[in-house]
Amino acid sequence: MATPADDLATAAGMLQKARRLVAFTGAGVSAESGIPTFRDGTGLWETFPPETFAQWDGLVHTALAHPAQLADFLLAVLEPIAVAEPNAAHRALAALERSVPTAVVTQNVDGLHQAAGSTEVREVHGSFLEVVTLKGRLVCRLDRAELRMVVDRLRRVRVGPAKLPRILLALRGLAGPTLHGLTRPNVVLFGEQLAEPDWALAQEDVLGCDVMLVVGTSAEVWPAAELPHLARRNGARLIVVDPGHPGPGGIWIRGPAGQVLPELLRRAFGEAMF
Ligand code: OAD
């Protein structure tokens, strides 16, 4: 059986020979930036079940019947993103572009791959840093300071009785009525189509890659979870980086992405990578 060191060496060799890479990332890649995952013991869905907070009918019911819970959920989601900075894993994936053409296909909605310098990023579940109309037309992009202002207002709402009108007022700039009509953050809820054009571009990237790095995802949410299988059926080889999940096959390098990815890149391309 291969030892972890053998696996690292094999994976480094695969990166050296790769012609086109896709890094398929999930919540685990941002865990070391302080953003909680969804399904680990302390994951977001443990406290805020998705059927109540991440699909339209549940969300509307929560907003009307339990506005304080809605405010708590929004704070739990937005605050870590508003203060987050890219970690060593995001920076390593951005540095990869200097050696191999690399597209990042992410399920995350935190904008940290772009903040680290990756230039080809497909956000298939959208982004909290984009505001769209209810029909999905882009209205504006936010920076993290603007998101922090929303978070500060939500915190003040939680001091008194969290009535829905106060929550909606706190969300201004991110959601609510504007000159363009009603707006919302550009994040995909359960039951909605994936974000376009990113989803179509992601599938093209996957069909064009010969190596896929699968980083920090339980790969349980479809259709995004189909992408590693699509890559493999198309002949690509997989490298999975995750401390807890073997992923959809290929070489599994067990460990936190912020440690494994820099080490892997150093082995593949030398110290000059960083
Ligand atoms: P999950 O919470 O399902 O999985 C997170 C993965 O990250 C697990 O496999 C962990 O073992 C791993 N992990 C934890 N810490 C890590 C670290 N430091 N380095 C590397 N890996 C680490 O999150 P996702 O797979 O991203 O969708 O979830 C997919 C989708 O489910 C999300 O995009 C979201 C959610 O419902 C929507 O809301 C539509």
Side-chain angles (χ1 to χ4, degrees):
M1 203 167 110
T3 64
D6 290 337
D7 286 345
L8 260 182
T10 307
M14 283 161 64
L15 292 185
Q16 282 165 349
K17 288 189 209 116
R19 283 177 295 102
R20 238 199 121 74
L21 272 173
V22 164
F24 176 56
T25 69
V29 80
S30 294
E32 289 154 88
S33 294
I35 300 178
T37 60
F38 295 96
R39 295 177 182 77
D40 292 323
T42 54
L44 195 70
W45 295 156
E46 293 293 318
T47 317
F48 301 101
E51 54 281 9
T52 312
F53 293 94
Q55 56 190 43
W56 269 113
D57 49 355
L59 197 54
V60 170
H61 177 263
T62 305
L64 296 173
H66 309 288
Q69 287 182 19
L70 174 69
D72 288 346
F73 169 67
L74 291 168
L75 272 171
V77 172
L78 292 175
E79 189 159 25
I81 296 178
V83 299
E85 291 181 5
N87 64 52
H90 298 107
R91 289 194 295 274
L93 291 176
L96 251 183
E97 285 186 12
R98 297 204 293 267
S99 301
V100 194
T102 303
V104 176
V105 175
T106 189
Q107 299 162 90
N108 299 345
V109 291
D110 55 32
L112 288 178
H113 286 299
Q114 295 93 324
S118 285
T119 58
E120 281 190 52
V121 183
R122 320 300 183 205
E123 296 174 304
V124 297
H125 288 167
S127 170
F128 264 115
L129 298 170
E130 290 177 357
V131 177
V132 292
T133 64
L134 297 189
K135 287 192 173 154
R137 192 167 53 80
L138 183 68
V139 172
C140 64
R141 289 178 206 283
L142 302 181
D143 58 29
R144 261 170 243 277
E146 290 168 302
L147 216 50
R148 281 197 293 276
M149 283 163 59
V150 174
V151 167
D152 288 344
R153 291 197 295 265
L154 278 170
R155 286 193 155 282
R156 288 200 287 275
V157 167
R158 284 308 281 127
V159 174
K163 300 265 170 57
L164 187 56
R166 292 184 68 209
I167 297 175
L168 294 177
L169 200 59
L171 289 176
R172 66 186 179 277
L174 180 63
T178 68
L179 291 175
H180 307 274
L182 281 178
T183 58
R184 58 175 279 189
N186 186 25
V187 292
V188 172
L189 298 180
F190 280 91
E192 293 191 304
Q193 301 290 316
L194 296 203
E196 293 290 1
D198 292 49
W199 176 235
L201 293 170
Q203 290 170 88
E204 275 177 34
D205 291 330
V206 168
L207 289 174
C209 78
D210 54 347
V211 176
M212 177 185 267
L213 273 166
V214 180
V215 185
T217 176
S218 61
E220 281 189 23
V221 175
W222 295 69
E226 165 67 11
L227 294 177
H229 301 280
L230 181 62
R232 223 171 24 185
R233 282 200 301 276
N234 202 47
R237 297 172 74 197
L238 266 51
I239 303 167
V240 176
V241 177
D242 195 298
H245 275 256
I251 292 186
W252 177 22
I253 305 178
R254 231 184 248 230
Q259 288 175 25
V260 171
L261 286 176
E263 173 63 19
L264 186 57
L265 265 65
R266 263 192 289 273
R267 283 186 181 229
F269 304 111
E271 292 294 332
M273 279 302 282
F274 297 98

